[in-house]
Amino acid sequence: MKLRADAVLFDKDGTLFEFGATWNAWGWAALQHLSGGSEATLHALAEAARFDLERQAFRADSPVVAGTNREAAACLASVLPERSVAEVEAYLERSGAQAPLVEAAPLVPLMAQLEALGLALGVMTNDAESVAYAHLDHVGIRGVFDFIAGFDSGFGAKPDPAPLLAFSDRLGLAPDRVVMVGDSPHDLNAGRAAGMQTVAVLTGPIGAEQLAPLADVVLPDVGHLPGWLMAG
């Protein structure tokens, strides 16, 4: 059977895990914690993070959706003069590792299916590497990946294609035999810039109309990936 690719590189949040179900409750708790009980500070933090306090949900244009953990920390620290970016970043990393994960599709059987097809697998997230390891460990899939990188792993961060090319280089594959799967323009722009195939999923806060122009295909979630790969 001929597959469309030899390897798949996944984004993490909004791709392997439902973004809203996983991160909105965490975001609400984090903003409350950082506000120290001040209503004015809570509103300032929510504005900086593009977090809708009424819906208790991140807006699609939030820097938390596609940016790095450091970028998220910087936007929050901008309204917390008594806290450094490093301090806020450390808090986000510690608390983020404990976020209530909701899988976008049953991940253990999905990864087993992809492995059975002979595909090499990786994860490249703009979250911290330590958080990626914690989340993949928690759902029991860390061991299936040949490559796991965060924004702080030394390869750079999306939308720069460098961390994606680090994956294909490690495997000795031509980039056009790799599929980048993600839920944001950062993921897909990085994939396009790297010369990879790009698959968008709709388990993040960004809609198909924004993602479709950057993707070879738009899928409801990662559970539909094997069917698309085998249709090649």
Side-chain angles (χ1 to χ4, degrees):
M1 176 178 48
K2 183 170 170 54
L3 298 176
R4 292 181 190 268
D6 298 313
V8 179
L9 183 60
F10 293 95
D11 169 53
K12 179 170 70 72
D13 302 312
T15 301
L16 294 177
F17 304 107
E18 286 267 6
F19 187 89
T22 296
W23 290 105
N24 286 338
W26 168 86
W28 173 240
L31 295 187
Q32 287 183 304
H33 171 83
L34 291 169
S35 74
S38 163
E39 194 71 17
T41 303
L42 178 64
H43 280 270
L45 287 166
E47 182 59 34
R50 305 296 296 142
F51 187 89
D52 187 325
L53 291 174
E54 220 171 277
R55 293 188 304 114
Q56 294 185 14
F58 286 103
R59 296 187 170 99
D61 63 349
S62 169
V64 176
V65 170
T68 67
N69 196 49
R70 188 159 298 149
E71 287 167 341
C75 83
L76 294 169
S78 70
V79 296
L80 296 170
E82 75 286 359
R83 293 191 187 226
S84 68
V85 173
E87 185 184 352
V88 175
E89 183 181 352
Y91 166 72
L92 296 182
E93 190 170 330
R94 285 194 311 273
S95 60
Q98 305 300 318
L101 301 172
V102 177
E103 298 175 31
L107 293 177
V108 169
L110 173 62
M111 296 306 157
Q113 185 179 4
L114 294 174
E115 276 195 306
L117 291 171
L119 291 155
L121 305 173
V123 172
M124 197 287 129
T125 175
N126 277 354
D127 202 349
E129 180 183 281
S130 66
V131 178
Y133 277 115
H135 288 173
L136 299 174
D137 269 335
H138 183 76
V139 296
I141 59 171
R142 174 176 168 179
V144 307
F145 295 108
D146 302 286
F147 178 93
I148 300 169
F151 82 95
D152 52 354
S153 298
F155 304 111
K158 298 170 293 191
D160 189 326
L164 283 62
L165 291 169
F167 173 64
S168 60
D169 288 349
R170 179 170 296 183
L171 297 174
L173 291 174
D176 64 0
R177 294 299 297 167
V178 179
V179 177
M180 176 68 217
V181 185
D183 70 304
S184 78
H186 271 24
D187 301 320
L188 305 175
N189 282 323
R192 285 280 169 92
M196 295 177 176
Q197 300 173 63
T198 53
V199 171
V201 290
L202 299 178
T203 40
I206 298 171
E209 65 284 348
Q210 282 181 262
L211 301 176
L214 304 172
D216 296 311
V217 66
V218 179
L219 301 176
D221 58 59
V222 289
H224 292 76
L225 188 63
W228 179 78
L229 288 164
M230 289 187 285

